[in-house]
Amino acid sequence: DDNFQIVEHGKRGSFDWAGIMPTSIICPEPSTIFLYYIGWSIRKDVPYHNSLGLIISKDNGKTFQKFSNGPIFSTSYKEPGYIGTISVMFDDELFKGWYLSCREWIETSDGKIEPVYDIKYAVSKNGIDWEPTGKTCISLEEDEGGLSQASVIKDQGIYHMWFSSRKKVDFRKNRDNSYR
């Protein structure tokens, strides 16, 4: 079914009323699934705002329910931009998350407003209450404007990360500047 969805968008005015996009999935205990998602809302000063929500299944994926009507990780004094994609891992008795952190918005020469973001690191004891560490894991290079969708694994005690990168401007029309 092309219209399959496991939960509804939030009500108008909520952090996820304009869209829901899955970003990471983890099974913290038997039969339990945590599906982290990006909640989209629209703003007047910039085109959109993202926050992270959580959908939980306690029956091994047969049914899902939103954890809350509000985001579990969002804008704060510790993270003043927006929060986007996240890769979550349970390791050393801690949930670890590598996430997209919007640093600023820029106006391009053609008048478009575009976000600039890198990848930062946060931790949680329960997978719900996230504490940003302030650590930037991957810094932007001079001409880059976005690092996104980290995928992290730990192999023989060493963390490995894959992520996408795009240029700062003209990435929507110019293939050479788009995500790679």
Side-chain angles (χ1 to χ4, degrees), residues 28-149:
E29 56 190 52
S31 300
T32 301
I33 299 171
F34 280 13
L35 174 59
Y36 296 91
Y37 71 94
I38 301 164
W40 290 76
S41 60
I42 298 170
R43 293 176 43 167
K44 287 190 173 202
D45 57 339
V46 293
Y48 58 88
H49 188 83
N50 293 155
S51 300
L52 287 177
L54 177 62
I55 300 167
I56 299 175
S57 173
K58 295 194 179 244
D59 57 10
N60 216 21
K62 291 183 182 132
T63 62
F64 287 87
Q65 185 172 358
K66 282 186 184 180
F67 170 75
S68 65
N69 290 325
I72 61 164
F73 192 9
S74 189
T75 304
S76 71
Y77 73 96
K78 292 181 180 180
E79 190 58 61
Y82 70 74
I83 307 297
T85 60
I86 192 167
S87 177
V88 178
M89 169 191 303
F90 188 73
D91 180 50
D92 297 328
E93 302 300 314
L94 202 58
F95 288 85
K96 299 177 179 182
W98 294 265
Y99 66 95
L100 178 156
S101 171
C102 182
R103 299 168 30 166
E104 66 178 324
W105 290 85
I106 60 170
E107 186 169 349
T108 64
S109 60
D110 60 355
K112 293 194 183 308
I113 306 295
E114 298 289 2
V116 176
Y117 41 81
D118 55 20
I119 297 173
K120 289 189 179 164
Y121 176 66
V123 295
S124 172
K125 292 180 181 175
N126 60 10
I128 296 167
D129 302 303
W130 288 91
E131 183 67 31
T133 65
K135 293 180 186 173
T136 299
C137 299
I138 307 291
S139 297
L140 292 168
E141 293 183 9
E142 190 173 311
D143 64 340
E144 289 179 325
L147 304 176
S148 179
Q149 195 52 57

Side-chain angles (χ1 to χ4, degrees), residues 161-178:
M161 179 189 291
W162 290 261
F163 60 94
S164 62
S165 167
R166 67 161 172 81
K167 300 295 183 188
K168 192 175 276 189
V169 296
D170 199 27
F171 62 93
R172 297 185 193 278
K173 294 179 186 174
N174 183 340
R175 278 184 79 179
D176 293 335
N177 292 352
S178 66

